[in-house]
Amino acid sequence: MTTSFPYYPVNDFGPVMKGMVIGGLGILHVFLAQFAIGAGMLLCYFQWLAQTGRSVHARRFLDGYFKVLVLISFVVGALTGVGMWFTTIQISPRTIGTMVDVFHWLWATEWTFFCVEIVAGYAFYRYASILTDRVRMALLLCYAIASWFSLFWINGIISWQLTPGDWVESRNIWAGFFNPSFWPSLIFRTIVSVTIASLVACVVINALPNLDRPARAELIHIAARPLIFMVFMPVLGVWYLAAIPDDSRSWVLGGSAAMTLFFAGTVGASLLIGLYALIAMIRRRLFVSGATATLLCALALQATAAGEFVREGVRKPYSIRETLYSNSITRDEVEHLRAAGSVTHDPYPLRNADEYPNDQLRRGAKVYRLQCSVCHTIDGANGLTHLTGSWTLEQKRMNIAKLQHTKPFMPPFAGNAEDVESVVQLLTWTVAHRPARWPESNDPQTLATISQWLDEAGTRPGIARTTATGTRMPE
Amino acid sequence: MAAIFPLDLPFPTAFYLLLYLLTLIGHVVFMNYVLAGCCYLAWVNLFSGRASVPRHRRPLADVLSDWMPFAISAAITMGVAPLLFIQIVYKERFYSANLLLSHRWMIMLPILILGFYLVYVVRSWRQRETSPAKRAPVVILAAACFLFAAWSWTENHLLSLDRASWPALYAEGNLRYRTPELLPRLLLWIAGSFPTMALLAAWQLKRHQSEPDLSRSVVTRELPAMALGGLILSALLAGWYLLAILRELNASNGAPPAFPMNASILLYAALALAGLVLQAIGWLRLRSAIDGTSASLVLPSLGLLLTLAGVTVLRELYRLSRVDITALHTQHAELLRSGGFWAFLVFALINIAVIAWCIHAVARALRASRQSASGCNRFLGSD
């Protein structure tokens, strides 16, 4: 049993859920990064068309498109990538710390590919006009391959969080990297990357000066060709769903209203893009104006956002499956904190201790801060007072003590009976509009009942453990 | 005799620390170029001078404006590796400092994005004349963005060393860590960035095709003055910083400042000092050189490498004197067994070769382009 627990300072984001903060930045970064990856491949294609004389306008598009790539992806894409590390530290330092511990050599490998991207990318950006077609193509290939490999490496690390596979038992890095959802997500993201790049290309083509409509139409038709790969997305989606744990899949397919809604959002948006691409662009039925192309990009952003939300959400109650819960507590530490109390040794005082009328409420605030605040606010987004609004006092006590059975995507409560009661009192006090006076609740019988509920619930999660082959194991 | 750093540490810890330091030096080189370069651009756009060619149109400002976006990209990319390794070596310390500075720390990201785009704007003005009223605010704001980043990193680093202050700082919700070390350390970094930028710019201007006379003048006059000034100022600020450190170390017992000396500090201080001397000699010789040839830049380059190596290690030795990572030695040993190292090594070697090829291909194309251009000029009789 663990005998110590690493406490970190926890920051408050007001009424905003922390998941929204990391989600917002993450979605932006993923969209821009995937654009950069797809752009590399699309640029190689256009360079080939240009140097083989298959398209007279390809070179003009190439130069304009590359400028967009450099100005957007090399700036915001790169900085939001670093920003993801910083933001993850803000939300869950133990999650990023564990990921770094396990995969630092593969992250370092990804970094070497970043270096190739920058050098090849800027070399093309600065000197393309004086380079031969052969060298231009070689630089673009270097850039495209390097950017795809950066996806390769990060995909393995990210997908490991949800499906760590055999790594849980063997701690073998390659078993964790090439985990059950690695291949479907890699291929899916590759297709998403070229899709985004194609859609952005349509915007750029419309913005290029001194191009007549037939020329634009020709370029748009060429840029849209990679969209044909979208036909594989449903198959890959099914493969991905089959690879993820049963409980995660069940939430996406109706078990959780929010997850199902976002899943439907990503599927719907992707379907709209695919249908429009098929009719309008590939079959040359319609001319895609700048406004339409921008709208399609916005749909792609929405699909990305919803998809990433689902991918993150279905990891619950874990941030790293079988290893670390969303609130940065490990499975073994639950037992320790049940015995010792979750905030007994927390060195960080409350920032607004004077606002609470008694020590029990202050304790409740600290327990909430440690265990709940990563995903909930008190009375803002995903607020605890809203979620528990219909519960009686007794129901609050039992449901929180048996948290992992109240909602299977919740982790087990990692504290003792006093911790449970302090959170219950905190929520009740908040609903009562935070009066200046509030009696402490220390009834021994109540605490004994809560302890009994905690024992009945146990320290294991409410979801079944799954092996790498998908076999559900008893807890 | 006590072992010299890093030999005084267990191999896994020493290994990760060395990787951190080596990659940090790579990041620092580009970061210094950005920091000093943007400050210089702000200066010359505010004070253009009365010469026939205003300062902001001269070769140095031109080359800095032209290459600044790439330098920022390189600084960011090269910063990823030390960011990775510092999490392994110091984990809790680094994370806690980030968390304590919270929004004040996170705001650095949009500010860096702003600075990056402003630098692109400055670059776009290279080929056309713009009014000082339009130019100056943009370059000053860009420089301010990178100065803010420098301040944030300095504060973050110093906070990570002061565990005792964390609970109180957290309770205050202040989002700023005040320490007497902050200002001298930050100023030392800023002053020290100028010799790096001067050297890189000298190498660039050596190849500057337009205005060769002006470029030569910059390399043999302006850059040595800048570098020597930076070295002298750095030495003075280092003294101030040392005093600030000693006062902090001895504040509790009221004793006069006593310098904690050990063999590692002596060795790496000597290395940094030797580098400083080599740089000074190199720049002084450059001032009397007929032209800024490659040979005359070798000595200051070597000196800079020695100084960077020495100062980077000294910086780390100071951190290790305040942060006990003995408890992490076991964890470092476990991490070394985590797997993936050989994949990293193989791909690193491949990618170094790819990068070298990219640079070689462009250099060859540039040479061919210049030869073709001079051939045309001879044909047209313009030589």
Side-chain angles (χ1 to χ4, degrees), chain A residues 10-11 71 101 104 111 126, chain B residues 16 66 77 91 99 117 170:
Chain A
V10 178
N11 289 313
L71 284 173
D101 285 350
H104 55 276
W111 168 68
R126 289 184 67 90
Chain B
Y16 282 119
D66 189 23
T77 306
K91 201 182 292 296
L99 285 159
Y117 279 121
Y170 177 81

Side-chain angles (χ1 to χ4, degrees), chain B residues 138-189:
Chain B
V138 173
V139 285
I140 290 170
L141 189 54
C145 289
F146 298 112
L147 285 167
F148 179 84
W151 170 34
S152 301
W153 274 107
T154 306
E155 197 172 321
N156 188 32
H157 176 96
L158 290 171
L159 178 57
S160 73
L161 307 184
D162 187 8
R163 179 196 278 277
S165 71
W166 293 353
L169 189 71
Y170 177 81
E172 287 166 28
N174 202 347
L175 308 186
R176 270 209 61 198
Y177 173 62
R178 287 181 172 82
T179 168
E181 291 183 53
L182 178 61
L183 188 60
R185 188 184 176 105
L186 178 60
L187 290 176
L188 173 59
W189 177 3

Side-chain angles (χ1 to χ4, degrees), chain B residues 62-360:
Chain B
D62 182 60
V63 111
L64 287 173
S65 308
D66 189 23
W67 282 91
M68 198 55 71
F70 171 74
I72 297 171
S73 269
I76 293 167
T77 306
M78 292 304 291
V80 169
L83 188 58
L84 176 69
F85 292 118
I86 198 176
Q87 291 180 70
I88 293 169
V89 180
Y90 292 110
K91 201 182 292 296
E92 188 225 0
R93 290 277 180 159
F94 178 69
Y95 290 156
S96 297
N98 279 225
L99 285 159
L100 287 164
L101 291 178
S102 185
H103 311 304
R104 156 64 192 88
W105 172 247
M106 295 300 293
I107 204 171
M108 189 173 49
L109 292 167
I111 284 177
L112 281 175
I113 291 174
L114 174 65
F116 208 151
Y117 279 121
L118 288 173
V119 157
Y120 269 110
V121 170
V122 172
R123 184 174 187 267
S124 72
W125 289 339
R126 283 177 63 239
Q127 304 302 330
R128 60 179 195 268
E129 199 53 58
T130 34
S131 67
K134 203 172 164 185
R135 256 189 352 257
V138 173
V139 285
I140 290 170
L141 189 54
C145 289
F146 298 112
L147 285 167
F148 179 84
W151 170 34
S152 301
W153 274 107
T154 306
E155 197 172 321
N156 188 32
H157 176 96
L158 290 171
L159 178 57
S160 73
L161 307 184
D162 187 8
R163 179 196 278 277
S165 71
W166 293 353
L169 189 71
Y170 177 81
E172 287 166 28
N174 202 347
L175 308 186
R176 270 209 61 198
Y177 173 62
R178 287 181 172 82
T179 168
E181 291 183 53
L182 178 61
L183 188 60
R185 188 184 176 105
L186 178 60
L187 290 176
L188 173 59
W189 177 3
I190 294 170
S193 66
F194 279 87
T196 310
M197 183 272 281
L199 184 67
L200 291 172
W203 281 105
Q204 289 178 293
L205 284 169
K206 181 178 85 63
R207 289 191 161 84
H208 206 246
Q209 291 301 297
S210 66
E211 300 172 285
D213 292 333
L214 258 179
S215 298
R216 208 160 29 237
S217 164
V218 169
V219 171
T220 56
R221 295 279 174 267
E222 199 173 338
L223 290 177
M226 188 187 300
L228 289 166
L231 290 173
I232 293 168
L233 194 54
S234 298
L236 293 171
L237 288 166
W240 178 19
Y241 184 38
L242 192 59
L243 279 174
I245 291 173
L246 293 174
R247 279 196 206 103
E248 283 292 292
L249 284 175
N250 295 287
S252 58
N253 57 22
F259 192 70
M261 189 58 69
N262 62 43
S264 293
I265 292 175
L266 274 174
L267 172 68
Y268 289 102
L271 195 70
L273 204 57
L276 208 82
V277 169
L278 280 178
Q279 285 185 76
I281 294 171
W283 285 112
L284 284 169
R285 282 170 69 176
L286 200 60
R287 281 175 62 89
S288 52
I290 296 170
D291 54 19
T293 63
S294 301
S296 55
L297 292 175
V298 169
L299 200 59
S301 299
L302 182 62
L304 179 68
L305 277 174
L306 291 178
T307 304
L308 282 177
V311 167
T312 305
V313 174
L314 284 172
R315 176 184 178 273
E316 209 57 38
L317 289 174
Y318 176 52
R319 183 182 357 221
L320 288 169
S321 76
R322 293 188 61 178
V323 176
D324 182 9
I325 58 170
T326 313
L328 295 174
H329 290 171
T330 313
Q331 192 176 12
H332 295 153
E334 280 173 28
L335 292 181
L336 202 52
R337 291 190 290 269
S338 64
F341 175 72
W342 294 109
F344 163 69
L345 201 60
V346 165
F347 282 106
L349 290 172
I350 292 170
N351 288 331
I352 287 170
V354 169
I355 289 169
W357 178 87
C358 290
I359 294 170
H360 169 72

Side-chain angles (χ1 to χ4, degrees), chain A residues 14-159:
Chain A
V16 174
M17 218 170 91
K18 287 175 189 175
M20 291 179 182
V21 174
I22 195 169
L25 187 68
I27 287 159
L28 179 62
H29 173 68
V30 165
F31 188 79
L32 293 176
Q34 289 181 160
F35 157 61
I37 294 159
M41 294 182 241
L42 193 65
L43 285 164
C44 288
Y45 180 52
F46 268 88
Q47 172 62 31
W48 175 74
L49 290 172
Q51 71 188 50
T52 55
R54 282 172 165 81
S55 169
V56 297
H57 305 293
R59 206 176 291 273
R60 271 210 60 199
F61 162 76
L62 242 175
D63 294 338
Y65 193 59
F66 204 90
K67 280 195 176 71
V68 171
L69 175 68
V70 167
L71 284 173
I72 294 177
S73 202
F74 279 32
V75 179
V76 186
L79 278 165
T80 52
V82 175
M84 283 307 299
W85 247 342
F86 288 168
T87 313
T88 315
I89 290 170
Q90 292 294 316
I91 308 301
S92 178
R94 290 193 79 189
T95 299
I96 193 68
T98 306
M99 293 166 78
V100 166
D101 285 350
V102 176
F103 290 111
H104 55 276
W105 290 122
L106 302 190
W107 240 317
T109 308
E110 188 193 8
W111 168 68
T112 68
F113 284 98
F114 288 155
C115 295
V116 173
E117 280 183 71
I118 294 299
V119 171
Y122 270 104
F124 189 92
Y125 176 62
R126 289 184 67 90
Y127 301 110
S129 57
I130 63 162
L131 298 172
T132 62
D133 276 328
R134 190 177 149 269
V135 175
R136 282 168 63 108
M137 179 58 101
L139 284 177
L140 287 173
L141 277 172
C142 286
Y143 173 79
I145 293 170
S147 58
W148 185 83
F149 263 103
S150 67
L151 169 66
F152 178 90
W153 297 110
I154 195 62
N155 176 69
I157 297 169
I158 299 294
S159 58

